[in-house]
Amino acid sequence: MSKKSEFKEYKKEIMDAAHNERLRLALSRAIKSYRGNVNKALEKYPGTVEMAEEVLEIKKKAIPRMEKLAKQAVMEIEENKGKGYIARTADEALDIIGDITGSGKLIVKGKSMTGEEVGLREHLEEIGNEVYETDLGEFILQKLGSRPMHILSPSIHVPREDVAKLFSKVIGKEIKPEAEIAELVATARGFLREKFFQADIGISGANVVAAETGTLFIIENEGNIRLATGAPPVHIALVGMEKLVPSLIDAYKVSEVTWRYANYTVPSYVSLVSGPSKTGDIEKVTTYGAHGPKEFHVIFLDGGRTELAKYPVLRQALYCLRCGGCLYECPVFAVTAGNFGDKYFTGIGAVWAAIVNKDPEKAASIAYTCLTCGRCRERCPVKIDVPEMIIELRKTLAEGE
Ligand code: SF4
């Protein structure tokens, strides 16, 4: 597609979204719930704001060292009898994962923005695997053939009536449009339940990784990630290098701040995974492959992140915890959802498109859609200055760098 028609398509998508009444309905419901929940969570745990300041310092120190941290984490994971890899590019990451999975496998997958970034599900399907998204929002999108419109709530743009219609098709039995949300959730549960136990491989991302022990912290509420990373014999995790922090305590702080600003007082589950399952119950001999996975593979993806870290202003994009809070404050997002962005949304999506995806035309479209109003900065736990980044990026793009 030519750059001109790419821009036209972006413009059309964003304008169509802005005139879509159903999208506005779904977004206004979600924004109202989010604001109520996050304010409640921060009132109940006021120390979160101070902890967020500490987290910003942790990220500022970790980002310039992420390559070193990745090497340390790989060493620790191997010490724990897992396998660690560093992938320089998205293609390299896909090759590594494809070599582990091979073809003809049943794969259950948790939500992963990094997986979305590299087209992981599509790649695994192309090489002959059957892949099921297990996060409810992602499952809806997989069945709809649509793409995520929010970092944490990927199907935020799909109202319940549309989910009822879709699930009726998936299970071949009518679900009424006015069905309770609980019935829709139970339908997905019923459909996916057996897949977890039949699967050959489970795939996840991670919210943060402690380099000192190679431990992945995975925050969730649905319980799908516990099942996807616990039931199949093989667990593969794909993680962006910017998720690394030095210590377990750093990783815990990043996790707590992430879930608070993601509108939870506390999530239902936080999984800490450092290696394959093991037991020492017979004669104290450590034996790998007990009830959980026998194999544990972690791929750390650079994919332009070390390049982005070299830009003094734009590197702030790497501090992002992916809590999704800013999206609910963005006036453009409120009418367009993830159509305002690329793989990552709103202003941060512009930086990502320019430096990580090397797509200056896309980056310019997003950068000039941004109003630089700064409402996102007020909500952001690590005070990422999106207006400052956008102004800098517009300059960089105009200079053709
Ligand atoms: S930019 Fe800030 S508010 Fe937005 S997702 Fe990232 S950490 Fe959360």
Side-chain angles (χ1 to χ4, degrees):
M1 198 189 301
S2 77
K3 295 298 171 194
K4 203 168 159 197
S5 46
E6 213 179 287
F7 174 71
K8 268 193 178 161
E9 196 190 319
Y10 171 76
K11 191 175 152 206
K12 186 177 173 326
E13 271 175 13
I14 214 158
M15 292 314 286
D16 285 351
H19 292 106
N20 182 334
E21 287 299 324
R22 293 185 75 69
L23 177 65
R24 191 148 335 156
L25 173 71
L27 286 173
S28 63
R29 283 174 182 166
I31 289 169
K32 191 164 166 240
S33 312
Y34 170 81
R35 288 192 183 148
N37 291 343
V38 81
N39 291 341
K40 232 192 292 167
L42 293 178
E43 261 164 42
K44 187 162 181 200
Y45 299 97
T48 312
V49 176
E50 209 171 297
M51 195 184 284
E53 286 166 17
E54 277 183 68
V55 164
L56 173 57
E57 294 311 310
I58 292 168
K59 296 294 284 186
K60 276 186 182 167
K61 286 191 196 129
I63 292 300
R65 296 180 53 219
M66 64 186 152
E67 200 156 1
K68 263 200 186 142
L69 294 173
K71 285 183 185 152
Q72 187 187 0
V74 164
M75 240 169 57
E76 294 304 325
I77 288 164
E78 305 220 331
E79 183 109 332
N80 301 335
K81 298 290 182 274
K83 286 274 292 162
Y85 313 77
I86 293 178
R88 285 288 149 218
T89 62
D91 284 345
E92 214 178 300
L94 292 176
D95 286 346
I96 294 170
I97 297 174
D99 285 348
I100 303 167
T101 64
S103 59
K105 304 292 189 326
L106 178 61
I107 299 175
V108 283
K109 189 179 159 292
K111 177 155 55 64
S112 155
M113 287 296 292
T114 316
E116 195 64 38
E117 179 186 326
V118 303
L120 181 55
R121 188 184 77 228
E122 293 78 1
H123 176 74
L124 292 170
E125 285 171 344
E126 261 165 36
I127 62 173
N129 295 293
E130 194 180 336
V131 186
Y132 288 91
E133 294 288 352
T134 61
D135 171 83
L136 179 56
E138 289 285 354
F139 177 66
I140 292 169
L141 297 183
Q142 184 182 15
K143 295 294 168 198
L144 266 182
S146 176
R147 66 185 177 89
M149 289 284 155
H150 187 275
I151 304 175
L152 290 183
S153 314
S155 64
I156 190 172
H157 56 300
V158 189
R160 68 185 78 160
E161 297 80 2
D162 292 9
V163 177
K165 198 163 144 200
L166 175 74
F167 282 6
S168 302
K169 257 200 246 158
V170 171
I171 61 165
K173 193 175 126 214
E174 204 211 339
I175 302 173
K176 298 234 167 350
E178 61 278 13
E180 296 286 331
I181 290 177
E183 185 183 339
L184 303 173
V185 175
T187 305
R189 178 188 165 102
F191 181 87
L192 286 170
R193 199 101 195 124
E194 62 185 20
K195 306 284 187 249
F196 290 112
F197 298 98
Q198 290 166 346
D200 303 292
I201 296 162
I203 294 188
S204 76
N207 294 88
V208 54
V209 180
E212 69 176 350
T213 52
T215 305
L216 316 184
F217 283 56
I218 314 175
I219 306 168
E220 60 154 338
N221 286 298
E222 293 182 15
N224 65 308
I225 294 183
R226 290 224 144 175
L227 286 164
T229 62
V234 179
H235 173 194
I236 302 172
L238 173 65
V239 186
M241 257 189 202
E242 80 284 12
K243 301 279 179 68
L244 284 146
V245 294
S247 69
L248 280 166
I249 192 76
D250 292 337
Y252 174 77
K253 287 177 182 169
V254 172
S255 300
E256 183 168 340
V257 170
T258 303
W259 75 62
R260 279 290 140 64
Y261 280 81
N263 101 148
Y264 299 109
T265 48
V266 69
S268 293
Y269 309 103
V270 182
S271 301
L272 272 60
V273 188
S274 315
S277 61
K278 63 185 175 194
T279 177
D281 277 1
I282 302 176
E283 297 181 2
K284 280 285 159 254
V285 175
T286 306
T287 306
Y288 290 86
H291 299 290
K294 292 180 187 154
E295 288 180 34
F296 175 59
H297 303 264
V298 185
I299 299 94
F300 292 105
L301 173 66
D302 178 348
R305 287 156 171 82
T306 47
E307 168 75 11
L308 179 53
K310 293 179 193 150
Y311 290 75
V313 174
L314 303 181
R315 77 157 72 105
Q316 291 177 81
L318 295 165
Y319 303 162
C320 177
L321 311 182
R322 315 259 187 266
C323 70
C326 54
L327 306 184
Y328 296 102
E329 300 302 333
C330 173
V332 182
F333 187 86
V335 290
T336 62
N339 291 294
F340 172 30
D342 188 24
K343 306 272 182 195
Y344 294 90
F345 309 124
T346 66
I348 290 204
V351 177
W352 215 263
I355 317 293
V356 177
N357 298 342
K358 306 251 175 288
D359 188 345
E361 281 80 10
K362 187 74 188 226
S365 310
I366 306 167
Y368 283 93
T369 310
C370 179
L371 305 176
T372 63
C373 67
R375 283 177 55 166
C376 49
R377 181 182 48 206
E378 299 312 308
R379 172 61 79 194
C380 178
V382 287
K383 298 292 165 231
I384 295 178
D385 196 335
V386 172
E388 186 191 21
M389 286 199 298
I390 290 295
I391 289 162
E392 174 76 12
L393 183 63
R394 287 177 185 168
K395 261 197 275 167
T396 310
L397 292 168
E399 285 160 9
E401 269 183 37

